[in-house]
Amino acid sequence: MTALVLDAPGAFHLIDTAPAGPGPGDALVRVHASGICGSDREVYEGNRPKGYVRYPVTPGHEWSGTVEAVGAGVPEALLGRKVVGEGFRNCQVCDRCHAGETTLCTAGYEETGFTQPGAMATTLTLPARLLHPLSDDADLTAAALLEPAACIAAAALKADAQPGQRVAVVGTGTLGMIAVQFLAAVSPAELLVVGTRPDREQLSLSFGATAFLTNDRLEDVRGGFDIVIETAGSAPAARTSAALLRRGGRLVLTGIPAADTADGLDPTDLVVRQIEVQTVFGAAPDAWAHAVRVFDAGLLTLLPLVTHELPLTDFATAIELVGSGDPKVGKVLLRPA
């Protein structure tokens, strides 16, 4: 197998080695594609918060593949199945895990691609209990986006939007475009998308949005929405999202602003308007199951969000594309084969 290893921020190399057979309870997956997101760029640049990365590490938490081998105690029915998998390596025995909140596991943070070997490699070995099998005809290139889709599924479950409500999405990146699709599925009366990129208007509308506005055109719509999902990951986006809500509205934050800019929400405003604030960090099993179910039902369109597919050897080019700010760059995938 070939694997990419980040020895330290900005320093990486490729290694060739024979993959070890899966141990008891594990599965070995041949990786089809691995996506790159802002978190991977944080790891590359050394900006990941302390405790949430451990070098050296093979990145890659967004991936799809096919089960090639299973260890003792794993059903052989998994062999040959197309799969995606959860990233959080939860302990399964603490109170948070028992409550289904595996991303809050009290045993400590461990995640594929950050503290455990990830999918920027020919193969990936992980606990088989984390796998989610896909339908036999699933498109594995599109399925590589199911990790961000699972995070948005978590946001959608917390938002609990009902038919006929006024809902909005702030942010027009991969997460934002997926959020539009989850919210459109509940038949809202209005689905507004807010962003800084006018070129995303047609894509937003094709995914089910009823309107698109740039940030400088929001004066007439502030204070009228039941639910807002924020996906942009900036303090101004959080403020914009809160301002869109009616009194008693619900805000779900999924983005993580840089630490020195995260001063966005006014507690006085939240209290006097009784705004309910929910947050998402990763995706628990119920959100993963929801995302896979929606994907297998053909209700989630992910392939148009992929703009670049590069070989693993072009990691440096891929990581620069993700941080370029070029509006023509959407989801970038690495193909290890």
Side-chain angles (χ1 to χ4, degrees):
M1 62 174 281
T2 300
L4 183 137
V5 178
L6 270 172
D7 300 292
F12 67 92
H13 68 282
L14 292 172
I15 61 170
D16 290 310
T17 184
D26 290 342
L28 184 146
V29 176
R30 181 158 295 277
V31 177
H32 173 81
S34 179
I36 300 179
C37 81
S39 296
D40 296 302
R41 188 166 175 85
E42 285 180 351
V43 173
Y44 176 73
E45 294 179 336
N47 298 325
R48 183 82 168 164
K50 186 178 180 180
Y52 290 89
V53 64
R54 188 163 57 239
Y55 302 97
V57 66
T58 294
H61 61 288
E62 302 179 4
W63 59 269
S64 63
T66 304
V67 177
E68 194 166 88
V70 297
V74 179
E76 291 190 1
L78 275 176
L79 288 171
R81 290 295 305 271
K82 296 177 179 179
V83 293
V84 290
E86 299 173 32
F88 283 78
R89 306 290 185 94
N90 52 84
C91 76
Q92 294 188 290
V93 297
C94 72
D95 60 343
R96 291 302 88 209
C97 285
H98 283 162
E101 298 175 336
T102 54
T103 61
L104 302 177
C105 177
T106 60
Y109 171 79
E110 295 287 347
E111 186 176 4
T112 298
F114 297 106
T115 64
Q116 297 289 331
M120 292 186 189
T122 310
T123 64
L124 170 66
T125 299
L126 74 166
R129 61 182 172 79
L130 299 178
L131 296 179
H132 289 261
L134 305 172
S135 61
D136 291 340
D137 61 352
D139 185 322
L140 282 177
T141 300
L145 278 67
L146 277 171
E147 192 279 340
C151 295
I152 292 300
L157 291 171
K158 290 188 175 186
D160 192 25
Q162 302 298 311
Q165 287 187 315
R166 298 183 70 206
V167 300
V169 173
V170 174
T172 57
T174 298
L175 292 177
M177 295 298 94
I178 295 173
V180 172
Q181 297 180 63
F182 272 100
L183 289 177
V186 302
S187 301
E190 182 177 350
L191 174 46
L192 171 68
V193 175
V194 177
T196 59
R197 292 176 50 183
D199 62 294
R200 292 299 241 187
E201 179 174 4
Q202 289 307 311
L203 189 59
S204 300
L205 296 175
S206 73
F207 286 150
T210 59
F212 179 96
L213 292 174
T214 50
N215 292 335
D216 58 344
R217 298 170 56 202
L218 299 179
E219 198 60 42
D220 294 336
V221 299
R222 295 178 188 275
F225 288 85
D226 301 291
I227 290 166
V228 178
I229 295 180
E230 176 276 326
T231 68
S234 71
R239 288 193 293 269
T240 295
S241 300
L244 288 171
L245 287 164
R246 62 165 173 82
R247 294 193 71 197
R250 185 177 300 122
L251 170 61
V252 185
L253 301 172
T254 70
I256 304 177
D260 58 351
T261 65
D263 59 350
L265 295 179
D266 177 0
T268 301
D269 176 61
L270 298 180
V271 172
V272 298
R273 293 202 293 135
Q274 294 185 189
I275 299 300
E276 178 185 341
V277 180
Q278 298 274 356
T279 61
V280 169
F281 177 61
D286 62 338
W288 270 96
H290 185 40
V292 170
R293 186 167 53 247
V294 172
F295 177 73
D296 274 345
L299 301 176
L300 204 53
T301 303
L302 301 175
L303 208 54
L305 301 176
V306 177
T307 59
H308 295 77
E309 295 182 62
L310 301 172
L312 189 60
T313 51
D314 283 353
F315 171 76
T317 300
I319 207 75
E320 288 303 317
L321 281 170
V322 171
S324 68
D326 186 340
K328 295 181 181 179
V329 177
K331 176 56 64 176
V332 177
L333 300 182
L334 288 174
R335 299 287 296 272

